[in-house]
Amino acid sequence: MKEQPKSGAVWFEIPCADLERAARFYETILDRRMKKDDFGELGDPMRLFPAAPGGVAGALVKRPFRKPGRGGTMVYLNCDGELDAVIARVREAGGLMLMPRTVIPGGHGAFACLKDTEGNHIGLHTSV
């Protein structure tokens, strides 16, 4: 058997209809700047979520074949130690809380779920 990978995911993309609106929403709730990028020849405009080298990274993307909405893949963003502060900024940024802070049994932290400005359902997680 192969060795376990360091992480179950290596990249994620959250689709959006209005890239600038979505970037403002996530910058507001996470209180962090997102980097503009198009990865050169790929040409798709993106806003990258901040991540340390070697960490799981992702981006907001605007692509004709990707549509935002509640039925897509569920992504949980890392809010370690700041979950309550992030939740407090969701409504002000134009989002809607779908599930309040919920403790995960067995010492696995807590999570909450929201609907972003694009209609995506997104999870928030903290290990503390």
Side-chain angles (χ1 to χ4, degrees), residues 10-56:
V10 296
W11 178 256
F12 66 88
E13 294 179 349
I14 300 174
C16 54
D18 185 324
L19 187 60
E20 295 307 318
R21 177 180 63 202
R24 279 191 309 274
F25 174 78
Y26 285 101
E27 285 180 341
T28 299
I29 70 167
L30 297 173
D31 195 26
R32 290 182 176 84
R33 284 299 214 207
M34 298 184 79
K35 180 182 171 193
K36 291 182 179 184
D37 207 328
D38 62 7
F39 287 102
E41 293 181 18
L42 291 178
D44 293 321
M46 297 182 180
R47 297 299 178 273
L48 305 176
F49 285 92
V56 176

Side-chain angles (χ1 to χ4, degrees), residues 5-125:
K6 180 179 176 181
S7 176
V10 296
W11 178 256
F12 66 88
E13 294 179 349
I14 300 174
C16 54
D18 185 324
L19 187 60
E20 295 307 318
R21 177 180 63 202
R24 279 191 309 274
F25 174 78
Y26 285 101
E27 285 180 341
T28 299
I29 70 167
L30 297 173
D31 195 26
R32 290 182 176 84
R33 284 299 214 207
M34 298 184 79
K35 180 182 171 193
K36 291 182 179 184
D37 207 328
D38 62 7
F39 287 102
E41 293 181 18
L42 291 178
D44 293 321
M46 297 182 180
R47 297 299 178 273
L48 305 176
F49 285 92
V56 176
L60 297 171
V61 297
K62 183 174 181 180
R63 293 185 172 146
F65 59 89
R66 296 282 304 141
K67 301 292 182 214
R70 66 181 186 183
T73 301
M74 187 73 161
V75 174
Y76 285 80
L77 301 176
N78 184 357
C79 300
D80 263 354
E82 300 178 1
L83 181 60
D84 293 331
V86 171
I87 290 169
R89 294 188 287 260
V90 168
R91 186 172 182 198
E92 169 189 323
L96 174 69
M97 288 307 302
L98 300 173
M99 179 177 281
R101 179 186 180 108
T102 304
V103 174
I104 303 168
H108 298 286
F111 74 98
C113 297
L114 63 87
K115 180 178 175 183
D116 72 7
T117 55
E118 307 305 296
N120 296 302
H121 288 198
I122 302 295
L124 306 171
H125 180 266

